[in-house]
Amino acid sequence: MDCQGLVVRLIQDFVLLTTAVEVAQRWRELAEKLAKVSKQQMDAYESPHRDRNGVVDSEAMWKPAYDFLLTWSHQIGDSYRDVIQELHTGLDRMKNPITKRWKHLTGTLILVNTLDILRAAAFSPADQDDFVI
């Protein structure tokens, strides 16, 4: 059964969520690198997550980061490769990039760039001559 669409959707959602959690406090810097987001737009992402005192708790800072990344990824389009590649590039452009110590995203980028090869190998009709006995 070929479920590549489901797999790439899960991979992309995983990448966006883990990036939001990893970046958390620094999400504004990432937003500037990816989309030139204004201060007003950043405040709008944080506003639903503010407490009664108007502050976003540091442990909840991943939430506006995730909201931003979801919106940004939809603007990039349907290409999961483009989304992950652009995200990787944006993270690399940050001060003290997390990609230096956080190798998961690099590995995921390699995986998504080889999915078509893996899919072709898994779902192509095998010739009898290809098997070594």
Side-chain angles (χ1 to χ4, degrees), residues 27-28 31 37-50 54 56 64 67-68:
W27 83 269
R28 286 175 169 249
V37 179
S38 71
K39 182 171 176 12
Q40 293 82 8
Q41 289 171 309
M42 290 183 204
D43 289 340
Y45 282 112
E46 290 181 355
S47 119
H49 309 291
R50 295 186 188 281
V56 180
D67 292 346
F68 163 74

Side-chain angles (χ1 to χ4, degrees), residues 1-4 6-7 122-123:
M1 179 164 62
D2 184 359
C3 298
Q4 185 175 359
L6 174 62
V7 170
F123 295 103

Side-chain angles (χ1 to χ4, degrees), residues 54-122:
V55 177
V56 180
D57 185 72
S58 63
E59 292 180 5
M61 197 57 81
W62 68 270
K63 294 175 183 178
Y66 185 66
D67 292 346
F68 163 74
L69 287 171
L70 277 180
T71 303
W72 169 81
S73 70
H74 290 298
Q75 292 170 350
I76 294 293
D78 292 332
S79 173
Y80 58 92
R81 285 186 195 107
D82 291 347
V83 169
I84 296 171
Q85 179 64 55
E86 288 298 316
L87 179 59
H88 194 281
T89 302
L91 289 165
D92 278 344
R93 290 189 310 216
M94 293 175 68
K95 295 176 189 168
N96 300 315
I98 64 168
T99 50
K100 285 185 179 179
R101 61 178 165 70
W102 192 51
K103 307 294 184 201
H104 302 82
L105 188 57
T106 304
T108 303
L109 190 55
I110 293 167
L111 173 64
V112 299
N113 283 312
T114 60
L115 276 178
D116 286 335
I117 296 167
L118 294 171
R119 181 183 191 194

